[in-house]
Structure formats: C-alpha cells, structure tokens
Amino acid sequence: MNNYPKLHNATWPGIVGKGPDSEPVIPFDKLLEMTAAAEVNGVKFDGVDLGLLDPHLNIDMSDDDIKRLADKVSGYHLNIGSLVAPIWAGSAMGTADQRKTFVEMVKKSCAIGKRLKELGVRHYGIVRIDSAAGVSDWAKDPAGNTKLIAQTFREACDVAADFGEKLAAEGEICWGGMHSWKHMVELLQMVDRKNIGFQADMSHTFLYTMGYNAPEHRILPVDFDKSDREAIKSALKTVTAALRPWTIDFHVAQNDGTVFGSGSHDKTGRHCQATDPNGLLDIANDAGYWLRDEKGNLTKAFQHICWDGCMFPNAVMEKQQTWNDILAALIKVREAHGWKG
C-alpha cells in the first residue's frame, strides 16, 4: 500500500466560521480526539495541520507551551504538518503598521514551526498565508495593491527563510489579489522568492473556474451544465496547468459550485461533505490534476495532503462518521496518486 502522501486532518475548521455570531468554537482537544479515533480498514490519520489561532492556540505561546503542544499531539500518535499563520491581525496591502504586523505574524509562526521540528513532531509542511485583504479594497488600485502585496510577501519570505520555512499562499476568491487563477499566478511571479508557493484547495480552486469575483477570468460558461463532467475536467486542467508548478501544499475537499460563508468568514468556495451527492468534483480523480503533471507523472511536490472542511455545522463535525468518511476520501486519493517511501 502507498504510505505517501501522509494523510492529515485540519483543526482550524473548529474555529473558522464559528464564534459569537455563529456556532460555538469546537475545542482543539475534541478535534484531536475525533481525528485520532477515525479509522477505515485499519488505516488512520497520520497527523493534523494546525491553525495558530485563538482560542485553540496562542501565537505568543512560550517554549513550554510548544513542548506541551508537541506532547499532546504526539500522544494521539499524530504528527503536525502545515501551520496557518494568523496574518489577519495585519494586512499585506494595508498601512505600514498593518504590513509590519503581517510579517511579524509570519515570523512567530515560523519560529513555532521550527521548534516543533526540533521536538520531532513536525517533519514536513509549510506556513500558510493570504493577502488578508478584501477584493473590493484591492480593486480600488489593482496594479498598485498587487505590488504592495508582493512586497509584503517578499518580506515575509525573507523572514521565513531564516527559519528554514516555506510559505504557501492559499488562493481563495475572497482574498484580494489572489481571487482568480490568473491574478494568483501574477502575484507569485511578482514575489519572486524560492520559498513561496501555492496552497491548492480543491474547493476554492474550483471556484476559480467559475469566475467568482473575477468574471473576466472565468473558464466555465455562466450557464454550464453541472452534470457535464468533461467541461469540468477541461476547466480544472486549465487552472491546474497554470498553478501546479507553484503548488507546495494541498487540501482535499468537495464543492457543489456555490459560495458560502458564516460567522466572521467572508464568502468563498463551499466546502461540502466528502459524501455530498451535490458535489461536482470526483475527489480521487480530480486530485490527480494537482498531484500529477501534464504527462501523468507524480509530482511528489508535498509529503502530505490535508482535508479542509471549513464551515460545516457543529452537528456534522461532532459525528465520528464524518471523520471516517473524510479519511476514506483521503485514502482513495492516496491509492490513486500516492507512492511508497
């Protein structure tokens, strides 16, 4: 059986879209317990990707706190992979102080990531970022704001390099300068650093094909037939051909072709359950457009894949079967596109 890429669950769905104006945050320990308990034909999750976000984790945690975190996660026989930096405390195209805060959040995240490696619980993964800026604000000066985002990203990359970390920008239709596949490529090219890449999420990148927030870059027609798999596959091939060379982190997900947001999180590609009958993606097949090159060869560009299920209702997330179904979907991806290492 293939043992790469390693299979991870994400903890930030317990926070994203939750809060005072939505459902309660799902505790960090609860998510670890359910991840560790998931099992399909003897296969279990290999690890978790963490959002360094309150109330789960404090970005200013002490070294003792980091050690306790490492012990807690490893106590569930899980590794730690990619980390989400809390860059929304600032903005990549904001004021000088906001941009300084953005870079500082990246620095703190990279320091935690390095320490987790030293403690032997983190063997792979990136630090995740975005522009932390809205599309409407970006649109007031597209060229100038893209240059400003690129400048901030370069500064963040230089800081990350000091810790031996790579940054991955997650393309979503809600982040200015990253809200279309063409804008995303342009931004990455402009940053021009070796330690930055793209974090592809199957749900968010599918929205790229539909031109949400960037109709000039849409690939699928406005009235496309959602049952036309050939049209969907062709559109996915266009997006993945452009962004695959940059992709260094990957989220497996499902999408039904709609946008959704809850709590304080802006609207972006809807994350559907792995077994959702309205899902437009053939998860195992379509993951291959990211994991294999245009000739069908495995890229092996990342050592783990992660399920991202943001903004599921708590009633769904608190069912163990949900995580078993997610694990089963990840296993199918690995069976189709994995390798032995």
Side-chain angles (χ1 to χ4, degrees):
M1 293 178 63
N2 294 327
N3 61 346
Y4 279 92
K6 299 299 183 182
L7 310 181
H8 279 222
N9 197 13
T11 62
W12 57 83
I15 300 175
V16 176
K18 310 298 180 184
D21 51 351
S22 184
E23 295 185 300
V25 166
I26 298 176
F28 183 68
D29 288 358
K30 177 70 172 178
L31 292 167
L32 288 181
E33 290 170 6
M34 300 191 80
T35 300
E39 184 172 347
V40 177
N41 297 325
V43 178
K44 300 176 73 69
F45 280 105
D46 298 297
V48 287
D49 285 8
L50 306 181
L52 301 177
L53 316 171
D54 287 327
H56 278 182
L57 300 169
N58 189 331
I59 190 63
D60 292 312
M61 68 178 78
S62 67
D63 190 63
D64 284 343
D65 292 332
I66 299 174
K67 290 177 182 176
R68 280 191 286 270
L69 171 62
D71 288 342
K72 175 178 286 189
V73 175
S74 61
Y76 285 101
H77 304 290
L78 297 169
N79 290 311
I80 295 172
S82 296
L83 308 175
V84 177
I87 39 78
W88 309 283
S91 172
M93 58 170 241
T95 64
D97 284 344
Q98 287 174 320
R99 286 182 279 119
K100 182 179 179 181
T101 297
F102 183 104
V103 175
E104 184 64 19
M105 292 299 104
V106 171
K107 181 179 180 180
K108 290 180 178 182
S109 301
C110 289
I112 292 171
K114 180 182 179 182
R115 188 70 180 111
L116 290 170
K117 287 179 180 176
E118 293 169 349
L119 293 168
V121 73
R122 183 168 178 253
H123 311 286
Y124 42 71
I126 52 79
V127 173
R128 180 259 189 220
I129 62 171
D130 58 61
S131 64
V135 176
S136 58
D137 289 332
W138 172 88
K140 295 173 183 177
D141 180 11
N145 284 327
T146 297
K147 289 180 180 178
L148 198 56
I149 294 168
Q151 177 184 328
T152 307
F153 278 16
R154 278 193 294 272
E155 293 174 13
C157 284
D158 293 343
V159 165
D162 292 338
F163 295 90
E165 290 288 342
K166 290 184 178 181
L167 306 182
E170 183 178 18
E172 294 190 50
I173 59 169
C174 60
W175 304 127
M178 305 170 63
H179 58 287
S180 90
W181 58 283
K182 289 191 175 183
H183 290 315
M184 191 71 248
V185 171
E186 178 188 13
L187 177 59
L188 290 168
Q189 290 174 336
M190 194 177 296
V191 175
D192 190 28
R193 287 291 187 274
K194 292 182 179 180
N195 65 327
I196 194 170
F198 182 64
Q199 183 187 74
D201 178 293
M202 292 178 68
S203 177
H204 300 319
T205 52
F206 183 64
L207 270 290
Y208 276 170
T209 70
M210 301 177 70
Y212 279 99
N213 288 340
E216 68 276 16
H217 295 161
R218 94 174 284 144
I219 302 168
L220 289 166
V222 174
D223 57 350
F224 83 98
D225 180 358
K226 291 186 177 182
S227 66
D228 187 348
R229 275 290 298 166
E230 292 306 310
I232 290 174
K233 288 193 289 186
S234 178
L236 290 173
K237 287 177 182 178
T238 298
V239 168
T240 54
L243 284 165
R244 188 192 308 111
W246 294 95
T247 303
I248 59 174
D249 202 61
F250 186 59
H251 288 171
V252 179
Q254 180 59 281
N255 184 275
D256 64 1
T258 65
V259 296
F260 179 71
S262 67
S264 60
H265 197 281
D266 198 2
K267 290 183 178 180
T268 186
R270 178 186 288 272
H271 283 102
C272 298
Q273 293 185 55
T275 56
D276 193 322
N278 296 315
L280 299 184
L281 300 174
D282 179 333
I283 295 175
N285 180 82
D286 297 349
Y289 297 130
W290 294 102
L291 276 72
R292 296 179 181 272
D293 65 20
E294 65 281 357
K295 296 180 180 179
N297 299 314
L298 292 172
T299 66
K300 299 183 181 180
F302 31 84
Q303 292 181 274
H304 82 293
I305 56 179
C306 181
W307 177 271
D308 189 345
C310 283
M311 292 177 284
F312 288 170
N314 285 4
V316 170
M317 295 183 67
E318 291 171 352
K319 288 181 180 178
Q320 188 61 51
Q321 187 60 44
T322 298
W323 306 108
N324 288 6
D325 291 341
I326 287 167
L327 179 58
L330 287 172
I331 291 170
K332 288 180 180 178
V333 172
R334 184 163 69 182
E335 288 175 344
H337 312 292
W339 64 95
K340 296 179 182 178

